[in-house]
Amino acid sequence: MDPLVTPSTLDAWRRLPPWVQDPLSIAIATARGERVPPPPRLRDARVRLMIAPANYAGQGFRWARAVEANPDVAAMNMVYDSINPFGYPADYPVPGRIAGHSHRWQRNQLEALRTGFTHMLIEAEMKPLGSMLGGDVLAQARAIRDGGVRIGMICHGSDARLPSRHAAADEWSPFHNDDWVPVAQLEAVVQGNLDVLAELAAPTFVSTPGLLLDVPTAHLLPVVIDPEAWATTAPVLERDRPRVVHVPSNPLVKGTAEITPVLERLHADGVIEYVSVSGVGHAEMPAIFAGADIVVDQFRLGDYGVAACEAMAAGRLVVSHVSEQAREAVCAETGQDLPIAQATIASLETALRGILEDRMSWRAYAARGPAFVRAVHDGAASRRVLEQRFLFSD
């Protein structure tokens, strides 16, 4: 947050009418070197796809690259820079102030989408036209669709994971209390997003299999990573004390507070070497995973995502809580069994000790990871899903 912005000034700002906010915001943007970007354009192709505006974990950019493997498809992604703090690559970054307050950009963006694109995937039920049409994502999607663009929706996670449903289904859910987020508020937001999906009735995709419980009409659109960036020949489970790595990128969701005492006790007893990784850039993570034997991922959501894929691509043994529903969905959608060792917060110590007692079997289990990632998460499977379910379907 800008150091000059305090809760009181922020509240005062929000009370200003748009006719005051808009010119002030544009003046601030101009003073900071932010400009209205030119309208997005793609090469001529049978299908011209825009993916916008979230780009969480760089997935919008990677899905765009995946579908461009088809020569009949041109694609690009857009992101508001205000929600891209880690600087994931994007084809068309837009300053947040510009999107929120420049009526010129909003008009130009709508016109560019209507005239230059055939398809659009809207991520996380977020508004792709800034504050246009009152910032109503449903109205914006309809305005784009009315211009002849086929609309689809992508759910990423917390935007569509209904807290009440998740808490009822999983004893380890982070939604049993307000430690992570105010659950009642999130429930209302997510229910609103689910209502948007139902009202729009567009082809819908989810990036992780657990979300199929919340959006049962959706199709799984696997996250995409570059397997070669994580590939390593480093051995697994050959040390006397296996190195166990945990990356608490979102501690409350990953169950970090609950699993840390277990891992620290095993470390103190000489059973494992426990390494907690924080404050490290993404570019350094391949080397960190290559130096690990076991990657302990997350224990609250019952799902898996990009980090687990990266660790599997490195051939590390991933231990995490992934529900039977998520595992069965992966198999049903891809024909592949998910090679993530199952454990809960309660069973983690038992699981780790069991792994060390049967290293040969678990070494072979970890060795399945790179092939699984190449089959499901290198972009080809995602391209096929979009081709069959959206880009070339009726």
Side-chain angles (χ1 to χ4, degrees), residues 130-150:
S131 61
M132 191 177 198
L133 298 172
D136 184 333
V137 64
L138 185 58
Q140 292 183 7
R142 285 170 168 164
I144 296 166
R145 186 165 63 182
D146 288 347
V149 180
R150 189 176 193 206

Side-chain angles (χ1 to χ4, degrees), residues 72-148:
D72 287 333
V73 179
M76 69 187 302
N77 85 300
M78 183 267 277
V79 67
Y80 301 136
D81 61 6
S82 55
I83 58 171
N84 192 31
F86 296 108
Y88 288 107
D91 297 310
Y92 185 65
V94 180
R97 289 186 187 86
I98 297 298
H101 300 282
S102 172
H103 300 294
R104 176 162 65 94
W105 177 81
Q106 294 164 7
R107 290 192 300 268
N108 290 347
Q109 186 75 352
L110 176 58
E111 181 64 17
L113 290 170
R114 284 176 158 183
T115 60
F117 293 79
T118 60
H119 293 69
M120 182 172 193
L121 286 166
I122 298 174
E123 300 176 276
E125 302 78 49
M126 294 179 65
K127 47 200 179 187
L129 298 174
S131 61
M132 191 177 198
L133 298 172
D136 184 333
V137 64
L138 185 58
Q140 292 183 7
R142 285 170 168 164
I144 296 166
R145 186 165 63 182
D146 288 347

Side-chain angles (χ1 to χ4, degrees), residues 43-48 71-74 118-119 391-392:
R43 65 175 174 84
D44 189 35
R46 176 183 170 189
V47 170
R48 299 181 300 280
D72 287 333
V73 179
T118 60
H119 293 69
L391 300 179
F392 299 110

Side-chain angles (χ1 to χ4, degrees), residues 4 19 25 30 87 108 110 127 141 162 166 198 203 209 270 287 296 309 318 327 355 394:
L4 297 178
W19 61 268
S25 294
T30 301
N108 290 347
L110 176 58
K127 47 200 179 187
L162 194 66
H166 193 272
V296 176
C309 292
V318 180
R327 294 174 184 273
I355 288 166
D394 295 331

Side-chain angles (χ1 to χ4, degrees), residues 216-241:
T217 59
H219 305 285
L220 179 62
L221 179 65
V223 297
V224 177
I225 70 166
D226 176 7
E228 296 308 312
W230 301 88
T232 177
T233 59
V236 174
L237 293 174
E238 292 188 359
R239 298 180 179 91
D240 289 340
R241 292 179 64 188

Side-chain angles (χ1 to χ4, degrees), residues 33-58:
E34 300 172 357
R35 300 291 183 267
V36 175
R41 290 185 174 85
L42 281 174
R43 65 175 174 84
D44 189 35
R46 176 183 170 189
V47 170
R48 299 181 300 280
L49 170 67
M50 171 67 85
I51 304 175
N55 199 40
Y56 292 145

